[in-house]
């Protein structure tokens, strides 16, 4: 892997080389805004810029802890999907010697004793506020973040629509999904097809009828008692966990030149 230089850090942070030098060495800190300092330090951490004592301390402080940060779930369906994901995630990471620690989101939370933080389904604005408080790698799972500085992994919903069209024909089905907090991803999904419905899980009487495509095992089980024909394209798969693990390894090892948005089929 090619070693990153101070000029690379300056270019990525859109600041001068002198600014990078001053910030990483703690000189003239009062000259710079908190946002500028956070941006520089996040890039230093992400790419493991070696001359920085801060970056070196991050590289040496492997805790083997992985934080899984979730919102409080508002419906039984969200709880079921969260449990299904956490079961697979914890099984894989524990097998590799990591300590998964599940936490619910708290405003202005600072987490230091972790190799990375998995923000599951987190809304974009909340993710950005959380990123301002933490310099360990943050990874967005099931949430779209318009910033290629952060790894983000979610299902390839374009592929889900294509599978529905193969099974039922174009515009002859409804994609039914459990509601999500991340509005940016929700908008991206909604633009993929005419009939996409998000269910909050508290009123099963309003479920769409007819041909249905879903990625959620909880909804698949609900529809099993009705007359609809259901195509299940599972979200919580081992392939998804392996994609998250790959991003985790790249983030913690500060691998350069890699794609940060991963859509899992």
């Amino acid at each position: 892997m090619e070693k990153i230089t101070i000029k690379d850090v300056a270019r990525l942070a859109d600041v001068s080389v002198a600014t990078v030098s001053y910030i990483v060495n703690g000189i003239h800190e009062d000259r710079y805004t908190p946002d500028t300092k956070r941006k520089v330090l996040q890039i230093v951490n992400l790419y493991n810029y070696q001359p920085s004592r801060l970056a070196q301390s991050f590289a040496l402080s492997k805790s083997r802890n992985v934080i899984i940060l979730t919102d409080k779930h508002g419906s039984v369906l969200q709880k079921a999907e969260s449990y299904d994901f956490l079961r697979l995630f914890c099984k894989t990471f524990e097998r590799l010697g990591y300590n998964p620690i599940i936490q619910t989101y708290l405003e202005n939370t600072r987490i230091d004793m972790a190799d990375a933080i998995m923000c599951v389904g987190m809304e974009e604005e909340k993710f950005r506020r959380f990123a301002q408080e933490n310099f360990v790698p943050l990874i967005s799972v099931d949430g779209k973040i318009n910033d290629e500085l952060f790894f983000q992994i979610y299902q390839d919903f374009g592929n889900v629509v294509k599978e529905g069209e193969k099974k039922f024909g174009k515009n002859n089905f409804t994609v039914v999904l459990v509601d999500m907090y991340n509005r940016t991803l929700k908008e991206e999904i909604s633009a993929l097809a005419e009939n996409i419905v998000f269910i909050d899980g508290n009123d099963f009487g309003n479920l769409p009828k007819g041909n249905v495509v879903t990625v959620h095992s909880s909804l698949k089980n609900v529809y099993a008692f009705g007359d609809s024909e259901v195509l299940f394209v599972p979200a919580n798969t081992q392939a998804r966990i392996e994609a998250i693990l790959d991003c985790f390894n790249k983030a913690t090892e500060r691998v350069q030149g890699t794609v940060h948005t991963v859509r899992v089929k």
Side-chain angles (χ1 to χ4, degrees):
M1 182 179 67
E2 184 179 350
K3 184 177 178 181
I4 192 169
T5 68
I6 192 170
K7 291 182 179 179
D8 295 324
V9 176
R11 175 177 51 81
L12 291 167
D14 195 25
V15 297
S16 69
V17 170
T19 296
V20 174
S21 178
Y22 285 142
I23 289 174
V24 298
N25 290 293
I27 301 172
H28 303 313
E29 290 189 323
D30 57 337
R31 292 183 179 180
Y32 307 106
T33 66
D35 286 343
T36 298
K37 287 188 283 188
R38 288 188 187 106
K39 189 73 170 178
V40 169
L41 292 175
Q42 283 174 338
I43 292 170
V44 164
N45 178 37
L46 180 65
Y47 293 103
N48 196 21
Y49 172 53
Q50 291 298 330
S52 166
R53 295 188 300 274
L54 176 64
Q56 290 174 333
S57 69
F58 274 121
L60 294 173
S61 60
K62 296 293 186 181
S63 67
R64 307 299 291 182
N65 294 330
V66 181
I67 304 295
I68 306 103
L69 203 61
T70 68
D71 272 291
K72 291 184 178 180
H73 302 299
S75 74
V76 64
L77 292 178
Q78 288 175 329
K79 291 177 182 177
E81 292 304 314
S82 178
Y83 174 80
D84 201 22
F85 165 73
L86 292 172
R87 177 180 55 82
L88 284 172
F89 181 95
C90 293
K91 180 180 178 181
T92 298
F93 275 74
E94 286 173 349
R95 176 171 52 83
L96 295 172
Y98 290 98
N99 307 308
I101 301 171
I102 302 169
Q103 295 187 4
T104 54
Y105 179 81
L106 296 174
E107 202 73 38
N108 299 323
T109 300
R110 177 70 179 267
I111 297 174
D112 293 315
M113 293 305 294
D115 293 345
I117 303 169
M118 305 287 175
C119 299
V120 182
M122 186 176 288
E123 188 265 327
E124 183 173 5
E125 183 180 347
K126 188 180 288 187
F127 181 96
R128 291 183 183 281
R129 291 200 305 267
F130 190 74
Q132 291 180 348
E133 299 296 326
N134 293 275
F135 300 122
V136 298
L138 264 66
I139 299 173
S140 177
V141 179
D142 290 342
K144 183 176 175 63
I145 309 298
N146 288 312
D147 190 336
E148 280 296 310
L149 181 62
F150 301 102
F151 281 98
Q152 44 198 303
I153 307 101
Y154 50 90
Q155 191 163 8
D156 186 341
F157 288 95
N159 179 66
V160 173
V161 171
K162 288 180 182 178
E163 291 299 319
E165 291 174 347
K166 288 180 186 177
K167 175 72 173 178
F168 300 119
K170 192 170 183 178
N171 299 327
N172 194 34
F173 60 91
T174 302
V175 179
V176 184
L177 303 172
V178 175
D179 203 8
M180 56 182 62
Y181 295 107
N182 188 279
R183 292 192 300 271
T184 312
L185 179 56
K186 191 173 178 177
E187 290 170 0
E188 179 179 293
I189 296 169
S190 298
L192 293 173
E194 290 185 3
N195 299 316
I196 296 180
V197 176
F198 293 89
I199 302 295
D200 66 12
N202 294 318
D203 185 4
F204 294 109
N206 292 325
L207 288 172
K209 309 298 182 183
N211 299 325
V212 168
V213 178
T214 189
V215 305
H216 305 299
S217 57
S218 56
L219 279 172
K220 175 192 174 187
N221 293 334
V222 170
Y223 271 104
F225 298 98
D227 298 327
S228 297
E229 186 173 358
V230 179
L231 173 64
F232 180 47
V233 186
N236 290 321
T237 63
Q238 191 60 38
R240 180 184 182 218
I241 300 299
E242 294 298 329
I244 293 171
L245 177 61
D246 181 59
C247 290
F248 168 82
N249 288 332
K250 289 175 179 176
T252 54
E253 296 300 325
R254 284 70 173 179
V255 175
Q256 302 174 41
T258 184
V259 175
H260 283 68
T261 298
V262 179
R263 296 175 178 87
V264 183
K265 291 186 178 181

